[in-house]
Structures are given as C-alpha cells and as structure tokens.
Coordinates of all heavy atoms in Angstrom, one line a residue:
L22 N 86.0 67.3 116.3 CA 86.0 68.6 115.8 C 86.9 69.5 116.6 O 87.6 70.3 116.1 CB 84.5 69.1 115.9 CG 84.1 70.3 115.0 CD1 84.6 70.2 113.6 CD2 82.7 70.5 115.1
L23 N 86.9 69.3 117.9 CA 87.8 70.1 118.8 C 89.3 69.8 118.5 O 90.1 70.7 118.5 CB 87.5 69.9 120.2 CG 86.2 70.5 120.7 CD1 85.9 70.1 122.2 CD2 86.2 72.0 120.6
L24 N 89.5 68.5 118.2 CA 90.9 68.1 117.8 C 91.3 68.8 116.5 O 92.4 69.3 116.4 CB 91.0 66.6 117.7 CG 92.3 66.0 117.3 CD1 93.4 66.4 118.3 CD2 92.3 64.5 117.1
T25 N 90.4 68.9 115.6 CA 90.7 69.6 114.3 C 91.0 71.0 114.6 O 92.0 71.6 114.0 CB 89.5 69.5 113.4 OG1 89.2 68.1 113.2 CG2 89.8 70.2 112.0
L26 N 90.3 71.7 115.4 CA 90.6 73.1 115.8 C 91.9 73.2 116.5 O 92.7 74.2 116.2 CB 89.5 73.7 116.6 CG 88.2 74.0 115.9 CD1 87.1 74.5 116.9 CD2 88.4 75.1 114.8
L27 N 92.3 72.3 117.3 CA 93.5 72.3 118.0 C 94.7 72.2 117.0 O 95.7 72.9 117.1 CB 93.6 71.2 119.1 CG 94.9 71.1 119.8 CD1 95.2 72.4 120.6 CD2 94.9 69.9 120.8
V28 N 94.5 71.2 116.1 CA 95.6 71.1 115.0 C 95.7 72.3 114.2 O 96.8 72.8 113.9 CB 95.2 69.8 114.1 CG1 96.1 69.8 112.9 CG2 95.3 68.6 114.9
L29 N 94.6 73.0 113.9 CA 94.6 74.2 113.1 C 95.4 75.3 113.9 O 96.2 76.0 113.3 CB 93.2 74.7 112.9 CG 93.1 76.1 112.3 CD1 93.7 76.2 110.9 CD2 91.6 76.6 112.2
L30 N 95.1 75.4 115.2 CA 95.8 76.4 116.0 C 97.3 76.1 116.1 O 98.1 77.1 115.9 CB 95.2 76.4 117.4 CG 93.8 77.0 117.5 CD1 93.3 76.8 119.0 CD2 93.7 78.4 117.1
L31 N 97.7 74.9 116.2 CA 99.1 74.5 116.3 C 99.7 74.8 114.9 O 100.9 75.3 114.9 CB 99.3 73.1 116.7 CG 98.9 72.8 118.1 CD1 99.0 71.3 118.4 CD2 99.7 73.5 119.1
R32 N 99.1 74.5 113.8 CA 99.6 74.7 112.5 C 99.7 76.2 112.2 O 100.6 76.7 111.5 CB 98.8 74.0 111.4 CG 99.1 72.6 111.4 CD 98.4 71.9 110.3 NE 98.7 70.5 110.3 CZ 98.3 69.6 109.4 NH1 97.5 70.1 108.5 NH2 98.6 68.4 109.5
L33 N 98.8 77.0 112.7 CA 98.8 78.5 112.6 C 100.1 79.0 113.2 O 100.8 79.8 112.6 CB 97.7 79.1 113.2 CG 96.6 79.7 112.4 CD1 95.4 80.2 113.2 CD2 97.0 80.7 111.4
R34 N 100.5 78.5 114.3 CA 101.7 79.0 115.0 C 102.9 78.5 114.3 O 103.9 79.3 114.3 CB 101.7 78.5 116.5 CG 100.5 79.0 117.3 CD 100.7 78.6 118.7 NE 100.7 79.9 119.5 CZ 101.1 80.0 120.7 NH1 101.6 78.9 121.3 NH2 101.1 81.1 121.3
A35 N 102.9 77.3 113.7 CA 104.1 76.8 113.1 C 104.2 77.0 111.6 O 105.1 76.5 111.0 CB 104.2 75.3 113.5
A36 N 103.2 77.6 111.0 CA 103.1 77.8 109.6 C 104.4 78.4 109.0 O 104.8 79.4 109.6 CB 101.9 78.5 109.2
S37 N 104.9 77.9 108.0 CA 106.1 78.5 107.4 C 105.6 79.8 106.6 O 104.5 80.0 106.3 CB 106.8 77.5 106.4 OG 105.9 77.2 105.3
S38 N 106.6 80.6 106.2 CA 106.3 81.9 105.6 C 105.6 81.7 104.2 O 104.8 82.5 103.8 CB 107.5 82.7 105.4 OG 108.5 82.0 104.6
N39 N 105.8 80.6 103.5 CA 105.2 80.4 102.3 C 103.7 80.0 102.4 O 102.9 80.0 101.5 CB 105.9 79.3 101.4 CG 105.9 78.0 102.0 OD1 105.6 77.8 103.2 ND2 106.2 77.0 101.2
Q40 N 103.3 79.6 103.6 CA 101.9 79.3 103.9 C 101.1 80.5 104.4 O 99.9 80.4 104.5 CB 101.8 78.1 104.9 CG 102.3 76.8 104.4 CD 102.3 75.8 105.4 OE1 102.6 76.1 106.6 NE2 102.0 74.6 105.1
R41 N 101.8 81.5 104.7 CA 101.1 82.7 105.2 C 100.8 83.7 104.1 O 101.5 83.7 103.1 CB 102.0 83.4 106.3 CG 102.0 82.5 107.5 CD 102.9 83.2 108.6 NE 103.0 82.3 109.7 CZ 102.4 82.6 110.9 NH1 101.8 83.7 111.1 NH2 102.6 81.8 111.9
V42 N 99.9 84.5 104.3 CA 99.6 85.5 103.3 C 99.9 86.9 104.0 O 100.4 86.9 105.1 CB 98.1 85.5 102.9 CG1 97.8 84.3 102.1 CG2 97.1 85.6 104.1
A43 N 99.7 88.0 103.3 CA 100.2 89.3 103.8 C 99.6 89.6 105.2 O 98.5 89.2 105.5 CB 99.7 90.3 102.8
G44 N 100.5 90.2 106.0 CA 100.1 90.7 107.3 C 100.1 89.6 108.4 O 99.4 89.7 109.4
G45 N 100.8 88.5 108.2 CA 100.9 87.4 109.1 C 99.6 86.6 109.3 O 99.4 85.9 110.2
R46 N 98.8 86.6 108.2 CA 97.6 85.9 108.2 C 97.8 84.5 107.7 O 98.8 84.3 107.0 CB 96.5 86.6 107.4 CG 96.1 87.9 108.0 CD 95.3 88.8 107.1 NE 94.1 88.2 106.6 CZ 92.9 88.3 107.1 NH1 92.8 89.0 108.2 NH2 91.9 87.7 106.5
A47 N 96.9 83.5 108.0 CA 97.1 82.2 107.5 C 95.8 81.8 106.7 O 94.7 82.3 107.0 CB 97.3 81.2 108.6
R48 N 96.0 81.0 105.7 CA 94.8 80.5 104.9 C 94.2 79.3 105.6 O 94.8 78.5 106.2 CB 95.3 80.1 103.5 CG 95.8 81.2 102.7 CD 96.2 80.7 101.3 NE 96.7 81.8 100.6 CZ 98.0 82.0 100.3 NH1 98.9 81.1 100.7 NH2 98.4 83.0 99.6
C49 N 92.8 79.3 105.5 CA 92.1 78.2 106.2 C 90.9 77.8 105.2 O 90.1 78.6 104.9 CB 91.6 78.6 107.5 SG 90.6 77.4 108.4
L50 N 90.8 76.5 104.9 CA 89.8 76.0 104.1 C 88.7 75.4 105.0 O 89.0 74.6 105.9 CB 90.2 74.9 103.1 CG 89.2 74.3 102.3 CD1 88.6 75.3 101.3 CD2 89.7 73.0 101.6
V51 N 87.5 75.9 104.9 CA 86.3 75.5 105.7 C 85.3 74.8 104.8 O 84.8 75.4 103.9 CB 85.7 76.7 106.4 CG1 84.6 76.2 107.3 CG2 86.7 77.5 107.2
V52 N 85.1 73.5 105.1 CA 84.1 72.7 104.3 C 82.8 72.8 105.0 O 82.6 72.4 106.1 CB 84.6 71.2 104.2 CG1 83.6 70.4 103.4 CG2 86.0 71.1 103.6
L53 N 81.8 73.4 104.2 CA 80.5 73.5 104.7 C 79.5 72.5 104.0 O 79.8 72.1 102.9 CB 79.9 75.0 104.4 CG 80.8 76.1 105.0 CD1 80.1 77.4 104.7 CD2 80.9 76.0 106.5
G54 N 78.5 72.2 104.7 CA 77.5 71.2 104.1 C 76.2 71.2 104.9 O 76.0 71.9 105.8
S55 N 75.4 70.3 104.4 CA 74.0 70.2 105.0 C 74.0 69.3 106.2 O 75.0 68.8 106.6 CB 73.1 69.6 103.9 OG 73.6 68.4 103.4
G56 N 72.8 69.2 106.8 CA 72.7 68.4 108.0 C 73.2 69.0 109.3 O 73.6 68.3 110.2
G57 N 73.3 70.3 109.3 CA 73.8 70.9 110.5 C 75.3 71.2 110.5 O 75.8 71.9 111.4
H58 N 76.0 70.7 109.5 CA 77.4 70.8 109.5 C 77.8 72.3 109.4 O 78.8 72.8 110.0 CB 78.0 70.0 108.3 CG 79.5 70.0 108.3 ND1 80.3 69.4 109.2 CD2 80.4 70.7 107.5 CE1 81.6 69.6 109.0 NE2 81.6 70.4 107.9
T59 N 77.1 73.1 108.5 CA 77.5 74.5 108.3 C 77.3 75.2 109.6 O 78.2 76.0 110.0 CB 76.6 75.1 107.2 OG1 76.9 74.5 106.0 CG2 76.8 76.6 107.1
T60 N 76.2 75.0 110.3 CA 76.0 75.7 111.6 C 77.1 75.4 112.6 O 77.6 76.2 113.3 CB 74.6 75.3 112.2 OG1 73.6 75.6 111.2 CG2 74.3 76.0 113.5
E61 N 77.5 74.1 112.7 CA 78.6 73.7 113.6 C 79.9 74.3 113.2 O 80.6 74.8 114.1 CB 78.7 72.2 113.5 CG 77.6 71.4 114.2 CD 77.7 69.9 114.0 OE1 78.8 69.4 113.4 OE2 76.8 69.2 114.3
M62 N 80.2 74.4 112.0 CA 81.5 75.0 111.5 C 81.5 76.5 111.9 O 82.5 77.0 112.3 CB 81.8 74.7 110.1 CG 82.0 73.3 109.7 SD 83.4 72.6 110.6 CE 84.8 73.5 109.9
L63 N 80.4 77.2 111.6 CA 80.4 78.6 111.9 C 80.4 78.9 113.4 O 81.1 79.8 113.8 CB 79.2 79.3 111.2 CG 79.2 79.2 109.7 CD1 77.9 79.8 109.1 CD2 80.4 79.9 109.1
Y64 N 79.8 78.0 114.1 CA 79.9 78.1 115.6 C 81.4 78.0 116.1 O 81.9 78.7 116.9 CB 79.0 77.0 116.3 CG 79.2 77.0 117.8 CD1 78.4 77.9 118.6 CD2 80.0 76.1 118.4 CE1 78.5 77.8 119.9 CE2 80.1 76.1 119.8 CZ 79.4 76.9 120.5 OH 79.5 76.9 121.9
D65 N 82.1 77.0 115.5 CA 83.5 76.8 115.8 C 84.3 78.0 115.4 O 85.3 78.4 116.2 CB 84.0 75.5 115.2 CG 83.4 74.2 115.8 OD1 82.9 74.3 116.9 OD2 83.4 73.2 115.1
L66 N 84.1 78.5 114.3 CA 84.8 79.7 113.8 C 84.6 80.9 114.8 O 85.5 81.6 115.1 CB 84.4 80.1 112.4 CG 84.9 79.2 111.3 CD1 84.4 79.6 110.0 CD2 86.5 79.2 111.2
R67 N 83.4 81.1 115.2 CA 83.1 82.1 116.2 C 83.9 81.9 117.5 O 84.3 82.9 118.1 CB 81.6 82.1 116.6 CG 80.7 82.9 115.6 CD 79.3 83.0 116.1 NE 78.4 83.4 115.0 CZ 77.8 82.6 114.2 NH1 77.9 81.3 114.3 NH2 77.0 83.1 113.2
S68 N 84.1 80.7 117.9 CA 84.8 80.4 119.1 C 86.2 80.8 119.1 O 86.9 80.8 120.1 CB 84.6 79.0 119.5 OG 85.3 78.1 118.7
L69 N 86.8 81.0 117.9 CA 88.2 81.4 117.7 C 88.5 82.8 118.2 O 89.6 83.2 118.4 CB 88.6 81.2 116.3 CG 88.6 79.8 115.8 CD1 89.0 79.8 114.3 CD2 89.6 78.9 116.6
G70 N 87.4 83.6 118.3 CA 87.6 85.0 118.8 C 88.6 85.8 117.9 O 88.5 85.8 116.7
K71 N 89.6 86.4 118.6 CA 90.5 87.3 117.9 C 91.4 86.5 116.9 O 91.9 87.1 115.9 CB 91.4 88.0 118.9 CG 90.8 89.0 119.7 CD 90.6 90.3 118.8 CE 90.2 91.5 119.7 NZ 89.9 92.6 118.9
L72 N 91.6 85.3 117.1 CA 92.4 84.5 116.2 C 91.7 84.4 114.8 O 92.4 84.4 113.8 CB 92.5 83.0 116.7 CG 93.4 82.1 115.9 CD1 94.8 82.7 115.8 CD2 93.4 80.7 116.5
L73 N 90.4 84.6 114.7 CA 89.7 84.6 113.5 C 90.2 85.7 112.6 O 90.2 85.6 111.3 CB 88.2 84.7 113.7 CG 87.3 84.6 112.6 CD1 87.4 83.2 111.9 CD2 85.8 84.7 113.0
E74 N 90.6 86.8 113.2 CA 91.1 88.0 112.4 C 92.4 87.6 111.6 O 92.7 88.3 110.6 CB 91.4 89.1 113.3 CG 90.1 89.7 114.0 CD 90.4 90.7 115.0 OE1 91.6 91.1 115.2 OE2 89.5 91.2 115.7
R75 N 93.1 86.6 112.0 CA 94.3 86.2 111.4 C 94.1 85.2 110.3 O 95.1 84.7 109.6 CB 95.3 85.7 112.4 CG 95.7 86.7 113.4 CD 96.7 86.2 114.4 NE 97.9 85.6 113.8 CZ 98.6 84.7 114.4 NH1 98.3 84.2 115.6 NH2 99.6 84.1 113.7
L76 N 92.9 84.8 110.0 CA 92.6 83.7 109.1 C 92.0 84.3 107.8 O 91.2 85.2 107.8 CB 91.6 82.7 109.6 CG 92.1 81.9 110.8 CD1 91.0 81.0 111.3 CD2 93.3 81.1 110.4
E77 N 92.5 83.8 106.7 CA 91.9 84.1 105.4 C 91.1 82.9 105.0 O 91.6 81.9 104.6 CB 93.0 84.3 104.3 CG 92.5 84.7 103.0 CD 93.6 84.8 102.0 OE1 94.3 85.8 102.0 OE2 93.7 84.0 101.1
L78 N 89.8 83.1 105.2 CA 88.9 81.9 105.0 C 88.5 81.7 103.6 O 88.2 82.6 102.9 CB 87.6 82.1 105.9 CG 87.8 82.3 107.4 CD1 86.5 82.6 108.1 CD2 88.5 81.0 107.9
T79 N 88.4 80.4 103.2 CA 87.9 80.0 101.9 C 86.9 78.9 102.2 O 87.2 78.0 103.0 CB 89.0 79.4 101.0 OG1 89.9 80.5 100.7 CG2 88.4 79.0 99.7
Y80 N 85.7 79.0 101.7 CA 84.7 78.0 102.0 C 84.5 77.1 100.8 O 84.5 77.5 99.6 CB 83.3 78.7 102.3 CG 83.3 79.5 103.5 CD1 83.4 80.9 103.5 CD2 83.2 78.9 104.8 CE1 83.5 81.6 104.6 CE2 83.3 79.7 105.9 CZ 83.4 81.0 105.8 OH 83.4 81.8 107.0
L81 N 84.4 75.8 101.1 CA 84.2 74.8 100.1 C 82.7 74.3 100.2 O 82.3 73.8 101.3 CB 85.1 73.6 100.3 CG 85.1 72.5 99.2 CD1 85.6 73.0 97.9 CD2 85.9 71.3 99.7
I82 N 81.9 74.5 99.2 CA 80.5 74.3 99.3 C 80.0 73.5 98.0 O 80.5 73.8 96.9 CB 79.7 75.6 99.4 CG1 80.2 76.5 100.6 CG2 78.2 75.4 99.4 CD1 79.5 77.8 100.6
A83 N 79.1 72.6 98.2 CA 78.6 71.8 97.1 C 77.8 72.8 96.2 O 77.1 73.7 96.6 CB 77.7 70.7 97.6
D84 N 77.9 72.5 94.9 CA 77.2 73.5 93.9 C 75.7 73.5 94.0 O 75.1 74.4 93.6 CB 77.6 73.2 92.5 CG 77.4 71.7 92.0 OD1 76.8 71.0 92.8 OD2 77.8 71.4 90.9
T85 N 75.1 72.5 94.7 CA 73.6 72.5 94.8 C 73.2 73.0 96.2 O 72.0 73.1 96.5 CB 73.1 71.1 94.7 OG1 73.7 70.2 95.6 CG2 73.3 70.6 93.3
D86 N 74.2 73.4 97.0 CA 73.9 73.8 98.4 C 73.7 75.3 98.4 O 74.7 76.1 98.3 CB 75.0 73.4 99.3 CG 74.8 73.7 100.8 OD1 73.8 74.5 101.1 OD2 75.5 73.2 101.6
R87 N 72.5 75.8 98.6 CA 72.3 77.3 98.6 C 72.3 77.8 100.0 O 72.7 79.0 100.2 CB 70.9 77.6 97.9 CG 70.8 77.1 96.5 CD 71.7 77.9 95.6 NE 71.7 77.3 94.2 CZ 72.7 76.8 93.6 NH1 73.9 76.8 94.2 NH2 72.6 76.3 92.4
G88 N 71.9 77.1 101.0 CA 71.8 77.5 102.3 C 73.1 77.8 103.0 O 73.2 78.8 103.7
S89 N 74.1 77.0 102.7 CA 75.4 77.2 103.3 C 76.1 78.5 102.9 O 76.7 79.2 103.7 CB 76.4 76.1 103.0 OG 75.9 74.9 103.7
L90 N 75.9 78.9 101.6 CA 76.5 80.1 101.1 C 75.8 81.3 101.8 O 76.5 82.2 102.3 CB 76.3 80.2 99.6 CG 76.8 81.5 99.0 CD1 78.3 81.8 99.3 CD2 76.5 81.6 97.5
A91 N 74.5 81.3 102.0 CA 73.8 82.4 102.7 C 74.3 82.5 104.1 O 74.5 83.6 104.6 CB 72.3 82.1 102.6
Q92 N 74.5 81.4 104.8 CA 74.9 81.4 106.2 C 76.3 81.9 106.3 O 76.7 82.7 107.2 CB 74.9 80.0 106.8 CG 73.5 79.5 107.2 CD 73.5 78.2 107.8 OE1 73.5 77.2 107.2 NE2 73.6 78.2 109.2
A93 N 77.2 81.5 105.4 CA 78.6 82.0 105.4 C 78.6 83.5 105.1 O 79.4 84.3 105.8 CB 79.4 81.3 104.3
E94 N 77.8 84.0 104.2 CA 77.8 85.5 103.9 C 77.3 86.2 105.1 O 77.8 87.3 105.5 CB 77.0 85.7 102.7 CG 77.7 85.3 101.4 CD 76.8 85.4 100.2 OE1 75.5 85.4 100.3 OE2 77.4 85.4 99.1
A95 N 76.2 85.7 105.8 CA 75.7 86.3 107.0 C 76.7 86.4 108.1 O 76.8 87.3 108.8 CB 74.4 85.6 107.4
F96 N 77.5 85.3 108.2 CA 78.5 85.2 109.3 C 79.6 86.3 109.0 O 80.0 87.0 109.9 CB 79.2 83.8 109.2 CG 80.4 83.7 110.1 CD1 80.3 83.7 111.5 CD2 81.6 83.5 109.5 CE1 81.4 83.6 112.3 CE2 82.8 83.4 110.3 CZ 82.6 83.4 111.7
H97 N 80.0 86.5 107.8 CA 81.0 87.5 107.4 C 80.4 88.9 107.7 O 81.2 89.8 108.2 CB 81.5 87.3 106.0 CG 82.6 86.3 105.9 ND1 83.9 86.7 105.7 CD2 82.5 85.0 106.1 CE1 84.6 85.6 105.7 NE2 83.8 84.5 105.9
E98 N 79.2 89.1 107.4 CA 78.5 90.4 107.8 C 78.6 90.6 109.3 O 78.9 91.7 109.8 CB 77.1 90.5 107.3 CG 77.0 90.8 105.8 CD 75.6 91.0 105.3 OE1 74.8 91.5 106.1 OE2 75.3 90.6 104.2
E99 N 78.2 89.6 110.0 CA 78.2 89.7 111.5 C 79.5 90.0 112.1 O 79.6 90.8 113.0 CB 77.7 88.3 112.0 CG 77.7 88.1 113.5 CD 77.4 86.7 113.9 OE1 76.6 86.1 113.3 OE2 78.1 86.2 114.9
I100 N 80.6 89.5 111.5 CA 81.9 89.7 112.1 C 82.6 90.9 111.5 O 83.7 91.3 111.8 CB 82.8 88.5 112.1 CG1 83.1 88.1 110.6 CG2 82.2 87.3 112.9 CD1 84.2 87.0 110.5
G101 N 82.0 91.5 110.5 CA 82.5 92.7 109.8 C 83.7 92.4 108.9 O 84.5 93.2 108.6
A102 N 83.6 91.2 108.3 CA 84.7 90.8 107.4 C 84.2 90.9 105.9 O 83.0 91.0 105.7 CB 85.0 89.3 107.6
P103 N 85.1 91.1 105.0 CA 84.7 91.2 103.6 C 84.0 89.9 103.1 O 84.1 88.9 103.8 CB 86.0 91.4 102.8 CG 87.1 91.0 103.8 CD 86.6 91.1 105.2
S104 N 83.4 89.9 102.0 CA 82.7 88.8 101.4 C 83.7 87.6 101.4 O 84.9 87.8 101.0 CB 82.2 89.0 100.0 OG 81.2 90.0 100.1
P105 N 83.3 86.4 101.7 CA 84.2 85.3 101.7 C 84.5 84.7 100.3 O 83.7 84.9 99.4 CB 83.4 84.2 102.5 CG 81.9 84.5 102.2 CD 81.9 86.0 102.1
R106 N 85.6 84.1 100.2 CA 86.0 83.4 99.0 C 85.3 82.0 99.1 O 85.3 81.3 100.1 CB 87.5 83.2 98.9 CG 87.9 82.5 97.7 CD 89.5 82.5 97.5 NE 89.8 81.9 96.3 CZ 90.7 80.9 96.2 NH1 91.3 80.4 97.2 NH2 90.9 80.4 95.0
V107 N 84.7 81.6 98.0 CA 83.9 80.4 97.9 C 84.3 79.5 96.8 O 84.4 80.0 95.6 CB 82.4 80.7 97.8 CG1 81.6 79.4 97.7 CG2 81.9 81.5 99.0
L108 N 84.6 78.3 97.0 CA 84.8 77.3 96.0 C 83.6 76.4 95.9 O 83.2 75.8 96.9 CB 86.1 76.5 96.3 CG 87.4 77.3 96.4 CD1 88.5 76.4 96.8 CD2 87.7 78.0 95.1
R109 N 83.1 76.2 94.7 CA 82.0 75.3 94.5 C 82.5 73.9 93.9 O 83.3 73.9 93.0 CB 81.0 75.9 93.5 CG 80.3 77.1 94.1 CD 79.3 76.7 95.1 NE 78.4 77.8 95.4 CZ 77.2 77.5 95.9 NH1 76.9 76.3 96.3 NH2 76.4 78.5 96.2
V110 N 82.0 72.9 94.4 CA 82.3 71.5 93.9 C 81.0 70.7 93.7 O 80.0 71.0 94.3 CB 83.2 70.8 94.9 CG1 84.6 71.4 95.0 CG2 82.5 70.6 96.2
P111 N 81.1 69.8 92.7 CA 79.9 69.0 92.5 C 79.7 68.0 93.7 O 80.6 67.6 94.3 CB 80.2 68.2 91.2 CG 81.6 68.4 91.0 CD 82.1 69.5 91.8
R112 N 78.4 67.8 94.0 CA 78.1 66.9 95.1 C 78.2 65.5 94.6 O 77.7 65.1 93.6 CB 76.7 67.2 95.6 CG 76.4 66.6 96.9 CD 74.9 66.9 97.3 NE 74.7 68.2 97.7 CZ 74.7 68.7 99.0 NH1 74.9 67.9 100.0 NH2 74.4 70.0 99.2
A113 N 78.8 64.6 95.4 CA 78.9 63.2 95.1 C 77.5 62.5 95.0 O 77.2 61.7 94.1 CB 79.8 62.4 96.1
R114 N 76.7 62.9 96.0 CA 75.3 62.4 96.0 C 74.5 63.4 96.8 O 75.0 64.1 97.6 CB 75.1 61.0 96.5 CG 75.5 60.8 98.0 CD 75.4 59.4 98.4 NE 75.5 59.3 99.9 CZ 74.6 59.5 100.8 NH1 73.3 59.8 100.4 NH2 74.8 59.5 102.0
E115 N 73.2 63.5 96.4 CA 72.3 64.4 97.1 C 71.9 63.9 98.5 O 72.0 62.7 98.8 CB 71.0 64.7 96.3 CG 71.3 65.4 95.0 CD 71.9 66.8 95.2 OE1 71.5 67.5 96.1 OE2 72.7 67.1 94.4
V116 N 71.6 64.8 99.4 CA 71.2 64.5 100.7 C 69.9 63.6 100.6 O 69.0 63.8 99.9 CB 70.8 65.7 101.5 CG1 70.3 65.4 102.9 CG2 72.0 66.6 101.7
G117 N 70.0 62.4 101.4 CA 68.9 61.5 101.3 C 68.9 60.5 100.2 O 68.1 59.6 100.1
Q118 N 69.8 60.7 99.3 CA 69.9 59.8 98.1 C 70.5 58.4 98.6 O 71.4 58.4 99.4 CB 70.8 60.4 97.0 CG 71.0 59.5 95.8 CD 71.9 60.2 94.8 OE1 72.2 61.3 94.9 NE2 72.2 59.4 93.8
S119 N 70.0 57.3 98.0 CA 70.4 56.0 98.4 C 71.9 55.8 98.0 O 72.4 56.4 97.0 CB 69.6 55.0 97.6 OG 70.2 53.7 97.7
Y120 N 72.6 55.1 98.8 CA 74.0 54.8 98.5 C 74.2 53.9 97.3 O 75.3 53.9 96.7 CB 74.7 54.1 99.7 CG 74.9 55.0 100.9 CD1 74.1 54.9 102.0 CD2 75.9 55.9 100.9 CE1 74.3 55.7 103.1 CE2 76.1 56.7 102.0 CZ 75.3 56.6 103.1 OH 75.5 57.4 104.2
I121 N 73.2 53.2 96.9 CA 73.3 52.3 95.7 C 72.7 52.9 94.4 O 72.7 52.2 93.4 CB 72.7 50.9 96.0 CG1 71.2 51.1 96.4 CG2 73.5 50.2 97.1 CD1 70.5 49.8 96.6
S122 N 72.3 54.1 94.4 CA 71.7 54.7 93.2 C 72.8 55.3 92.4 O 73.9 55.6 92.8 CB 70.6 55.7 93.6 OG 71.2 56.7 94.3

C-alpha cells in the first residue's frame, strides 16, 4: 500500500499536462470496498496532507456497498472538500460468497 502511494506521488510530479485538470490538480481513482479496505484507503488519503488538495478524487464502489459511500462522503465533509465523484460497478461476488457458486 505504501508502494502504491509512492508511485502515485511520483506520477503526480511527472504527470503530463493532458493528465492534469485545471489548477495543476491531478486525477486519482480510489477503489473502496468492504473488509476494512475503505477505512485503510481513507487513512492513507488523510496521510497525504496538503498534497490531497491537488487531487481530484473519484471513488470506485460496488453497487451493493452502502457503507463505503457514506464513509467517503463523511471524509469529504471532514476535509472540507466538495461531494466526491463516485463510479458504481457491479460486484463480482458478494462478501462471504463461496468461490464456486
């Protein structure tokens, strides 16, 4: 996870102009999910500090996941950011579902 953040930071610095959005900001896709993953991702985003202000966040959330959306919205309220952009995708299998079903 730390390696992923390091790669993100390096790419932010080296991003070409077509990958940036207005004001020198960069786009970042954050995949949220169950099993503590959402909490971990939001913790990692908090650790970015001032760099977080330069990111235009988009969250990818399973269409059946209600908790992650609520956590992402609460996080944006906490940091004083506008409502997040959210992309919903169908879940391949539900949490706890057998791999062979």
